[in-house]
Amino acid sequence: MDLQANPRGSICARAVRKTYPGREKPSLAGVDLLVDAGRVCALLGANGAGKTTLVRILTTLTGQDSGTVSVNGWDVVRDPARVRASIGVVGQYAALDEVLTARENLELFARLIGLSRAAARSRAAELLEQSGLGEYAGQRVSGFSGGMRRRLDLVTSMITRPAVLLIDEPTTGLDPVARRTIWAAVRSLADHGSTVLLTTQYLEEADELADDVVILREGTVVATGTPSDLKALVGEPRMELREPTLEDVYLHLHTGSTAA
Amino acid sequence: MTTTAIQHTGSVLREAVILTGRSTRHWRARPVTFSVQLLFPVLIMLLMGGLLGGAIAGTTGDYIVFVVPGVLAFTVLSGIETTITAVTGDAAKTVTDRFRTLPISRGSVLLGRVFADMLTAAVELAVVSAAGLLLGWRPEGGIAAIALTYALLLWLRFGLLWAGVWIGLKAGTPEAATTTQLAIWPVAFLSTVFVDPRTMPSWLGAAAEWNPLSATASAARELLSGGELPGVTAVSDHAVLFALGWPLALTLVFVPLAIRAYRRLS
Ligand SMILES: Nc1ncnc2c1ncn2[C@@H]1O[C@H](COP(=O)(O)OP(=O)(O)O)[C@@H](O)[C@H]1O
Ligand SMILES: [Mg+2]
């Protein structure tokens, strides 16, 4: 077939174009993206760069105008059901039922994908444990903080034990402490062997989590490489004495140590 | 091939039932909201009885007998708000996106909505009926007529709920539910639900009888009183036929529209 040599667990997009109806400017103007199995790739770009659009195409939510996209070896247009069976999706906003408790949310989605009542219960317990939200299991999501929602959302996306995880801006709007908790969560998912594509507006986040970085600007890939490749592109590292930022102060107060 | 089709149908049903369970959990989680929703039509019935009863039917007691079938139909109409709220709520919280990226059947989310809303409607109709009985309303016309009445009411709810799903998917925001709520009142008043069309100016009475809601209200009134009720147009002579036909028309129009809107969400 028309797939790469080893498609299992990988993400492949070729010449993807997308212009929303009624818009003149394309949101994606011929994007190529390749993420090998088991790698963590950060799609870095400012607001409006086209990150969410690409994620929605990769997750079968939106169709591209042209170009081919495959995830885990399956074409998103021809085999959307198989793509869905192999991905975990974390959208830009936590997709949770606010009225239900954390445990009820996990059990609902676990039951939906075919687990028995008992299996759903134990899967939910396992994921709650993994998210560190065990003690809040019986509480309604409507009372959760942004960071707690994100963590629950992350583990909810793991319910299918996906080979590929797609995460849209996991830490936007979170405080630095919550951000680091999410980073740890993403890293542990990656350590379990999942392929991860995450989008972010923060260079620091890409540097922290990613093996590879793809920089997207106005619907076009402008740079690809490892974080150190990209840093080298900017030039020799300079020793710089800088004033502590508010983030440093905030982290210091929370952890009682000096943040790097 | 056939086995796959059966398996597919099996999983659609299973998933739809699980999603219905989600809605009943919402009731349990928000008992106050749910009670208010259930008692609202009863409140309307009491208000109408107190305010208009004497003027329209001579006595409040007579009016209760007149208005219960109408309020049953009104309950079915106002249920569309439940549908729209649920659909727009899931869209706003991106829960719909989560459903659409899960390895589940395409139809199960909409079917789950249908099951949940039909179940809600059954409970709502039971509450209004019970309140009517307490206020002295007594259905006549026999078991078959009563069964047919409730079947017609649920049939209208079925047609309306697809309209609700379509409006909800197209509007996308919970604010849309508020707008629809405003539209419910003119539709209800321009019908035979609360007022006998013979007491209206003739053109208004005729317009009211052509309202889909009136067909169901008039059919219920006839079936539950066990006799023909005079109206102002030919519609009232064939109330049951129209009560079957209007929801069929709604279903034929809105089922494809709703399914298409769901498929084309992006
Ligand atoms: N549903 C939509 N309809 C029309 N335009 C859209 C839609 N979604 C995104 N866009 C436009 O596409 C461009 C890329 O948006 P998006 O993919 O959301 O970027 P990012 O996630 O990087 O912020 C923006 O110009 C945005 O306005
Ligand atoms: Mg975005």
Side-chain angles (χ1 to χ4, degrees), chain A residues 56 59 61-62 84-85 89 93-100 104 108-109 111-112 114-115 140 153 156, chain B residues 14-15 18-19 22 25-26 28-30 93-95 97-104 106 265-266:
Chain A
R56 290 183 72 85
T59 55
L61 285 169
T62 303
R84 286 183 208 122
V89 185
Y93 308 96
L96 300 164
D97 186 321
E98 302 256 319
V99 180
L100 301 184
E104 286 172 331
L108 168 71
F109 295 116
R111 294 272 290 134
L112 270 179
L115 299 193
R140 299 250 179 94
D153 202 35
T156 307
Chain B
R14 179 184 176 278
E15 289 154 14
I18 291 167
L19 288 165
R22 172 189 174 216
R25 262 173 200 272
H26 282 188
R28 270 183 279 161
R30 291 186 300 192
K93 295 284 170 208
T94 65
V95 174
D97 282 349
R98 160 98 64 210
F99 288 142
R100 287 181 354 117
T101 55
L102 282 179
I104 59 174
R106 291 245 88 178
L265 274 181
S266 72

Side-chain angles (χ1 to χ4, degrees), chain A residues 39 110 139 172 183 187 198 221 247:
Chain A
R39 304 281 286 182
Q139 291 187 18
T172 301
W183 285 353
R187 215 176 286 116
L198 71 101
V221 172
E247 180 163 325

